[in-house]
Amino acid sequence: VAVNDIASQTTSRISDADVTATTALTVDADDTANIDATSAAAAVSVAAGAIGVGISVAGAFAFNEINTTTTAEVVSASDLTGGAITVDADAVAIINAKIIGVAASVGVGAFAGAVSAGVGVARNKIGSGDLTGVFATVANSVLTANTGLRSVSVTADMNSTINSQVLVAAVA
């Protein structure tokens, strides 16, 4: 059994301040969360004799969850002046899970039998609830870009990936 849980908060903030920059002004929050999980199980049974039953059961399980909050924000800045102004939040969440279960059973004899079962479960989750996510905000603030393009950019990007492989075999 593999159990992995990542929870984090990343914040970049200008709050209740006046800021003047002669070049570009950037408020940037970046977060990366990565889970690599492998869970494996194997079971073998042999029954020999006049009467016998071989029973084998293999189970491999992985439970992986990433909950992150990434925030870049400007709040209550009455005068935020710079070249190009950027408020940017970026998050990456990756889960790689490999689950392997193998079971083998043999029964040898006049009244022998064999039973084998394999089980594999992968539960992978990125994000839950209203507070999980990526946020870029400007609230109750005055921003002035002094470049020729007068560029103000507010962006939030999330890149999530789940790669899950479940391989199970049972032979009797």
Side-chain angles (χ1 to χ4, degrees):
V1 175
V3 178
N4 301 289
D5 187 10
I6 295 175
S8 68
Q9 288 186 317
T10 304
T11 302
S12 179
R13 172 185 302 130
I14 293 176
S15 179
D16 298 312
D18 294 339
V19 178
T20 300
T22 57
T23 60
L25 177 63
T26 301
V27 180
D28 187 39
D30 297 312
D31 183 75
T32 299
N34 188 38
I35 294 175
D36 290 313
T38 300
S39 179
V44 176
S45 70
V46 176
I51 300 173
V53 176
I55 299 173
S56 67
V57 177
F61 306 89
F63 304 98
N64 304 301
E65 187 167 348
I66 296 175
N67 290 301
T68 62
T69 303
T70 307
T71 305
E73 63 185 359
V74 176
V75 179
S76 300
S78 60
D79 184 17
L80 192 66
T81 304
I85 299 174
T86 302
V87 180
D88 181 53
D90 298 300
V92 175
I94 301 170
I95 297 175
N96 295 305
K98 185 178 286 187
I99 315 308
I100 303 166
V102 177
S105 185
V106 176
V108 179
F111 297 101
V115 176
S116 184
V119 177
V121 174
R123 185 183 142 282
N124 302 298
K125 185 177 182 182
I126 296 176
S128 65
D130 293 338
L131 298 179
T132 301
V134 182
F135 308 95
T137 60
V138 175
N140 301 319
S141 300
V142 176
L143 280 62
T144 305
N146 287 330
T147 64
L149 297 177
R150 300 193 183 267
S151 165
V152 175
S153 172
V154 180
T155 57
D157 296 305
M158 177 73 181
N159 183 359
S160 300
T161 304
I162 296 175
N163 300 307
S164 186
Q165 297 175 329
V166 179
L167 308 168
V168 179
V171 178

